[in-house]
Amino acid sequence: MTDDDMARPDAQALAGIRVLDLSRVLAGPWATQTLGDLGADIIKVEKPGEGDDTRGWGPPWLADGEGRPTRESAYFLAANRNKRSVAIDMATPQGQALIRRLAEQSDVVVENFKVGGLKRYGLDHESLMALNPRLVTCSITGFGQDGPEAGRAGYDFMIQGMSGLMSVTGSPDTEPQKVGVALVDILTGLNATIAILAALEQRHRTGRGQHIDIALFDVAVASLANQALNFLVGGTAPRRLGNAHPNIVPYQAFETSDGHLILAVGNDAQFARFCRLADLPEIAADARFATNRERVAHREALIPPIAAALKRQTTAEWLAMLDAAGIPAGPINTIAQAFAEPQALARGLAMSLPHALGGSAPGVRSPLRLSDSPHGQPTAPPWLGQHTDEVLETRLGLSAAERDALRAAGII
C-alpha cells in the first residue's frame, strides 16, 4: 500500500459506515470511538447546553490556544475522538423527528438508556428498525433487556462488585478493591464493537439489521475468565491473592533492593533458568517445585526464598539479567513512566490533535493496526454542538433559516 493509499479516507476498514451515537459516559462512547478509529463516520447526539455527562467530569480540563481551561474534561477526551457533535433535544417532538431522520440514513445506532427509556421518544430499536430495516441497533445497559434486574441502572464500580471481580482484586489482608480504571465499561464497549461488526457482516448476507443487547453485568462475569472456571470446575470461590496468580507460580510482584518488579514465570523451563540465575540450586532440585502444578500446591514454601533472592539486587539489575535469560519480567511503572517507555515512544502511543477551541488535545493512539486499512488522520473530540449546522445541512438538507428557527426554539 502506498502513502497515497494510506491517506485516502476510503482505505479505512469501516469507510462508508455511518454510526449514530446516542450514548454517553464511557461504555457506549468507547464502542463508537473504536468504530471511528476504524473509519466509520460517527455522529454524536448530545443535549443542547449540557452534552455528555463526562464533559463536566474534571479537573483536569483541556486548555485552549491561550492556555486557559475550557469546559472540556480529560475524561470526555478519552472516549470521543473521531466524532461529530450534534446538539439536539430529543425530549421534543421536533428533536425526535430529526434523530429519526438521521437514523434512517445510518447503519448503526448505539445507545445506553435504561431499558425502555427510548420508547417514549419513539427512538427505541423497534421504531427505528421499522424505518430502516437494515439498521443495526446496540443497546448497552447495566443488566440487559430482561431478567429481574433489567430495570436497574448499572455503573462500572457497582458492577465490579456484583460480578465478583472485586472479590479477587486486592490483597487478602485488605478490603476488596476495584480495578484502577472503569474496566467493565471499557470491556463492554469492546464487546459491543465486536457484536456490531458481526451484525454488519451478517447484514451483508441477509440484507437486514438486528438488535444487540449488551449488559455490563454479563460482560463482567464473562471476563472473569479463568477465575470463573476455577469456581465452576473446582467448586470453591477464588480468593484475593494480591499480585499473585491463582494458577501459576511464581507469577507476582516482588520487592528488590530499591523497588519492585513483576516476575512472570510461565513454564517449567523458565523456572529452571530462573533458579540458576537467582542461585537457588536447592529450589531447582526440590521435587515440590519441579512443575507448575507442584509449585502452586507448595506456594507458601516457595515464595519466601525467591523473595529473599530478589532483594539482593536492584530492579534494573534484575530486569537486565532476566531479559537476557528469556524470563518474562517487567517494572511497575507509573503512568508517566509508561508513556516514557522506549516502546511507547516508538509506537507513538501518546498523540496530540488540533482542537477547534484552539491549542491541541492530547490523546492515546488506538491499538488497532491493520496492514491494508490503516487509520486515517484522527480528529480531536468535538466541542458540544460543533457540527450541528454541518450535519443538519449536509445530511438532512435543512436551510440556514430552518436551523435558526430550531435554535431559537431550543431544539438544537
Side-chain angles (χ1 to χ4, degrees):
M1 178 170 285
T2 67
D3 290 342
D4 288 341
D5 288 332
M6 294 177 66
R8 288 193 354 251
D10 62 356
Q12 294 184 264
L14 296 184
I17 296 295
R18 291 178 168 183
V19 178
L20 187 60
D21 184 359
L22 305 183
S23 68
R24 63 265 188 227
V25 186
L26 190 53
W30 198 267
T32 53
Q33 176 173 262
T34 303
L35 295 170
D37 286 334
L38 294 170
D41 178 14
I42 315 296
I43 292 178
K44 182 180 180 72
V45 175
E46 303 184 73
K47 186 175 182 179
E50 297 182 18
D52 191 309
D53 300 359
T54 63
R55 287 185 182 273
W57 287 8
W61 308 101
L62 177 69
D64 65 15
E66 298 181 6
R68 298 169 301 192
T70 69
R71 295 181 62 188
E72 300 293 283
S73 73
Y75 200 117
F76 177 81
L77 298 178
N80 288 285
R81 65 176 172 265
N82 297 326
K83 300 180 185 181
R84 294 189 285 170
S85 173
V86 176
I88 300 177
D89 186 356
M90 70 167 58
T92 65
Q94 300 97 320
Q96 295 156 19
L98 292 174
I99 294 171
R100 281 192 287 271
R101 289 179 63 187
L102 289 172
E104 285 186 87
Q105 301 178 11
S106 297
D107 299 285
V108 179
V109 171
V110 178
E111 57 92 3
N112 62 346
F113 285 73
K114 288 184 181 180
V115 173
L118 286 177
K119 195 170 188 65
R120 67 180 182 272
Y121 301 137
L123 298 174
D124 55 296
H125 64 90
E126 291 96 343
S127 299
L128 295 182
M129 292 179 71
L131 296 172
N132 179 2
R134 290 177 54 81
L135 188 65
V136 172
T137 60
C138 179
S139 297
I140 299 174
T141 58
F143 296 94
Q145 300 293 307
D146 53 25
E149 308 289 346
R152 292 183 63 189
Y155 294 89
D156 179 278
F157 189 9
M158 61 177 282
I159 298 296
Q160 286 198 36
M162 290 184 68
S163 67
L165 179 59
M166 288 177 61
S167 76
V168 294
T169 305
S171 167
D173 302 321
T174 62
E175 66 181 4
Q177 296 289 311
K178 68 179 179 66
V179 181
V181 296
L183 189 62
V184 173
D185 275 339
I186 299 297
L187 291 172
T188 300
L190 294 176
N191 276 276
T193 302
I194 294 167
I196 289 167
L197 295 176
L200 288 173
E201 175 59 26
Q202 180 165 336
R203 190 182 71 173
H204 289 318
R205 300 193 298 271
T206 67
R208 287 190 56 82
Q210 60 182 295
H211 180 232
I212 298 166
D213 171 11
I214 296 283
L216 272 69
F217 184 69
D218 295 357
V219 169
V221 173
S223 299
L224 292 174
N226 60 299
Q227 292 285 41
L229 269 295
N230 286 344
F231 166 68
L232 293 174
V233 172
T236 301
R239 59 189 177 90
R240 295 192 301 283
L241 293 172
N243 289 315
H245 196 288
N247 306 111
I248 312 172
V249 175
Y251 196 101
Q252 65 185 74
F254 288 95
E255 187 177 353
T256 65
S257 66
D258 66 346
H260 294 82
L261 61 76
I262 292 171
L263 179 65
V265 170
N267 57 52
D268 298 337
Q270 290 175 3
F271 181 71
R273 294 201 301 275
F274 171 74
C275 289
R276 290 194 295 271
L277 189 67
D279 192 22
L280 294 172
E282 69 284 2
I283 297 297
D286 194 322
R288 294 178 299 168
F289 313 130
T291 66
N292 180 70
R293 180 172 184 164
E294 293 299 321
R295 291 193 295 275
V296 171
H298 300 95
R299 180 195 304 266
E300 293 183 2
L302 175 61
I303 295 304
I306 292 178
L310 288 171
K311 284 183 180 179
R312 293 197 292 261
Q313 298 186 74
T314 67
T315 298
E317 290 170 338
W318 273 118
L319 290 178
M321 292 188 296
L322 290 165
D323 182 60
I327 300 167
I332 301 177
N333 284 335
T334 65
I335 292 176
Q337 290 169 329
F339 277 112
E341 282 277 358
Q343 186 66 15
L345 297 174
R347 299 279 284 181
L349 299 190
M351 61 182 182
S352 182
L353 303 172
H355 195 275
L357 294 178
S360 60
V364 181
R365 190 172 302 279
S366 168
L368 306 177
R369 305 191 185 209
L370 286 68
S371 64
D372 289 347
S373 47
H375 294 169
Q377 177 59 41
T379 59
W383 50 264
L384 177 58
Q386 178 180 342
H387 304 94
T388 302
D389 285 297
E390 172 192 321
V391 169
L392 295 185
E393 179 182 8
T394 60
R395 283 284 187 90
L396 303 185
L398 271 63
S399 67
E402 290 172 314
R403 300 195 303 273
D404 287 344
L406 290 170
R407 188 169 287 110
I411 296 164
I412 64 173

